């Protein structure tokens, strides 16, 4: 396998930084440039101090599209589409976008959730990486949606770490606000609902229920925890059988009959799913690292699929268990 010549646009932020951390150690990647308008001219370790000694890259505000096999777009939402309208990449350059701009699969993009769309990802030149909450919610209930079990409104709550809001500071991301605090935002209107409903409609064309999602800001930095539930007449054993079959070939989504917790997935590309049957409801818990399986790790997983690599290449990461 040849080395994949790669560039990252928007490499100074959280998702861009996570991509750098993964790609400088990936066995099949040569990271040839890292882009940032705000950090141009700075050495990698000046912006991401933890990467001192790992690479000798310097940030640039120029986009070198020549001899490039792959480009990751880590731009703010709404900026990827105009960026691509101004830039010209070779026809065979793979583009993986981490923003919301193409998750509706417009402009030839394929939605990059490997657990439901692997065949298309393997053939794609343009991949729209899923959102963090969207990834966790979809993986929590995708098998149930496909089985047609959800016949009423789907109730979902989810809590995310502060890194999910990006690197730029705001009133709700400062330590003094987040610490020892929890708050709700975008009640029932979160932007990830569009892509969630899109996937559910593909899994089951008869699905027309509301996804009533309550997102919480958590007082921690990394991770997403989701709880979803709906009326269910079957047994817990039946649910585990269906979920196990659905994810039997998934590289990173694991169904656990033991209780799960957030630390099991932080700093990994895993999604863990646990089921319970209570009060006539099937309850699904799911947990991911929002910056890895919810963003940059999944982007590398999609890269591996698109280039015919082993799906776990460069992603054998250790969880932070304590």
């Amino acid at each position: 396998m040849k080395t994949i010549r790669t560039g990252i646009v928007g490499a100074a932020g959280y998702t861009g930084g996570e991509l750098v951390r993964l790609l400088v150690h990936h066995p099949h990647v040569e990271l040839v440039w890292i882009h940032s308008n705000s950090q141009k001219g700075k050495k990698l370790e000046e912006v991401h101090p933890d990467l001192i000694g790992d690479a000798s890259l310097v940030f640039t505000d120029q986009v070198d599209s020549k001899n490039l096999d792959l480009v990751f777009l880590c731009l703010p939402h709404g900026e990827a589409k105009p960026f691509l309208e101004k830039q010209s990449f070779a026809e065979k350059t793979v583009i993986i976008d981490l923003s919301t701009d193409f998750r509706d699969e417009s402009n030839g993009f394929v939605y990059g959730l490997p657990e439901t769309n692997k065949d298309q990802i393997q053939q794609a030149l343009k991949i729209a990486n899923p959102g963090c909450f969207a990834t966790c919610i979809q993986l929590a209930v995708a098998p149930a949606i496909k089985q047609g079990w959800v016949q009423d409104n789907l109730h979902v709550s989810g809590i995310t770490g502060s890194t999910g809001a990006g690197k730029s500071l705001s009133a709700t991301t400062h330590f003094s606000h987040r610490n020892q605090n929890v708050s709700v935002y975008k009640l029932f209107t979160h932007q990830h609902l569009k892509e969630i409903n899109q996937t559910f409609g593909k899994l089951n064309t008869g699905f027309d229920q509301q996804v009533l999602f309550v997102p919480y800001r958590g007082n921690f930095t990394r991770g997403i925890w989701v709880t979803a539930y709906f009326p269910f007449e079957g047994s817990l054993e039946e649910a585990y059988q269906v979920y196990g079959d659905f994810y039997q070939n998934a590289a990173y989504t694991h169904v656990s009959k033991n209780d799960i917790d957030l630390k099991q997935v932080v700093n990994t590309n895993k999604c863990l799913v646990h089921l319970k049957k209570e009060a006539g409801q099937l309850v699904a818990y799911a947990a991911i690292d929002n910056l890895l399986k919810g963003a940059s790790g999944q982007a590398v997983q999609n890269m591996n699929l698109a280039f015919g690599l082993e799906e776990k290449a460069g992603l054998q990461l250790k969880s932070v268990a304590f």
Side-chain angles (χ1 to χ4, degrees), residues 92-282:
K92 292 187 178 180
T93 299
V94 175
I95 298 172
I96 301 179
D97 177 36
L98 278 74
S99 78
T100 61
D101 291 22
F102 301 107
R103 291 176 189 163
D104 60 357
E105 298 192 303
S106 59
N107 294 70
F109 277 79
V110 167
Y111 188 65
L113 188 68
E115 290 78 1
T116 64
N117 226 17
K118 182 180 290 187
D119 291 344
Q120 291 87 341
I121 294 167
Q122 289 173 323
Q123 305 301 317
L125 289 175
K126 297 179 178 179
I127 300 168
N129 215 58
C132 51
F133 263 135
T135 295
C136 201
I137 292 171
Q138 288 173 102
L139 296 179
V141 293
I145 297 294
K146 186 174 183 180
Q147 287 293 115
W149 288 345
V150 182
Q151 297 294 320
D152 203 342
N153 291 339
L154 178 64
H155 294 269
V156 183
S157 63
I159 186 166
T160 183
S162 59
T163 52
K167 198 171 184 178
S168 298
L169 288 176
S170 68
T172 57
T173 58
H174 278 280
F175 176 82
S176 56
H177 178 84
R178 285 270 184 163
N179 187 45
Q180 299 178 327
N181 197 14
V182 173
S183 60
V184 171
Y185 70 109
K186 297 180 181 178
L187 177 67
F188 298 164
T189 62
H190 198 280
Q191 67 271 17
H192 290 179
L193 287 170
K194 292 181 180 179
E195 60 191 276
I196 290 168
N197 284 314
Q198 176 180 270
T199 296
F200 289 173
K202 288 184 177 182
L203 288 171
N204 187 331
T205 56
F207 180 79
D208 60 358
Q209 310 303 322
Q210 280 192 293
V211 181
L212 300 175
F213 174 39
V214 183
Y216 294 89
R217 301 181 183 96
N219 63 345
F220 50 92
T221 56
R222 296 177 73 121
I224 284 178
W225 179 277
V226 158
T227 302
Y229 62 91
F230 55 89
F232 181 62
E233 295 181 355
S235 67
L236 184 60
E237 290 74 20
E238 177 188 0
Y240 268 117
Q241 181 65 51
V242 166
Y243 269 68
D245 290 346
F246 190 92
Y247 291 124
Q248 63 179 337
N249 296 318
Y252 282 108
T253 298
H254 306 285
V255 182
S256 173
K257 291 188 176 181
N258 299 318
D259 283 330
I260 62 174
D261 61 69
L262 196 58
K263 280 190 173 181
Q264 288 175 271
V265 298
V266 170
N267 200 48
T268 80
N269 197 51
K270 294 178 183 178
C271 175
L272 297 185
V273 180
H274 177 66
L275 304 174
K276 290 185 180 296
K277 176 79 183 289
E278 296 288 347
Q281 309 284 311
L282 184 64

Side-chain angles (χ1 to χ4, degrees), residues 1-78:
M1 176 66 196
K2 71 171 186 175
T3 299
I4 302 168
R5 289 177 54 82
T6 303
I8 301 175
V9 179
Y14 285 146
T15 58
E18 286 296 276
L19 271 173
V20 175
R21 292 177 184 91
L22 294 170
L23 296 179
V24 295
H25 299 297
H26 195 288
H28 301 294
V29 170
E30 179 188 359
L31 191 53
V32 294
W33 52 260
I34 50 175
H35 168 278
S36 171
N37 289 322
S38 62
Q39 306 297 328
K40 62 180 179 180
K42 291 185 178 180
K43 295 180 180 179
L44 175 63
E45 62 264 27
E46 292 181 83
V47 179
H48 300 298
D50 58 298
L51 286 171
I52 186 170
D54 288 322
S56 57
L57 294 161
V58 176
F59 283 90
T60 176
D61 63 348
Q62 301 299 307
V63 175
D64 181 7
S65 59
K66 296 179 181 179
N67 300 315
L68 200 65
D69 301 306
L70 168 68
V71 61
F72 290 97
L73 303 183
C74 299
L75 294 167
H77 303 309

